[in-house]
Amino acid sequence: MELLKDLWGFMKERKKIWLAPVIVVLVLLGALIVIGGGSSIAPFIYTLF
């Protein structure tokens, strides 16, 4: 949680709030790849990329 607080403080202080949606999308895509890597839905996820 400390990492998230530091990241939010950095974005707020440097006026880089526009980075928040980019980071969220990257985290969600990463989680989708990790979860789908070893499951039966992997072929369907790989067709998205």
Side-chain angles (χ1 to χ4, degrees):
M1 284 310 250
E2 190 67 30
L3 176 67
L4 294 176
K5 286 181 185 178
D6 286 341
L7 185 60
W8 180 253
F10 169 78
M11 289 190 307
K12 197 168 145 183
E13 182 177 323
R14 303 270 189 210
K15 307 284 192 259
K16 304 276 187 201
I17 300 296
W18 58 271
L19 284 174
V22 175
I23 293 171
V24 169
V25 168
L26 287 175
V27 167
L28 289 175
L29 282 175
L32 182 68
I33 290 171
V34 167
I35 291 171
S39 69
S40 61
I41 61 169
F44 302 109
I45 292 175
Y46 290 133
T47 60
L48 295 174
F49 301 105

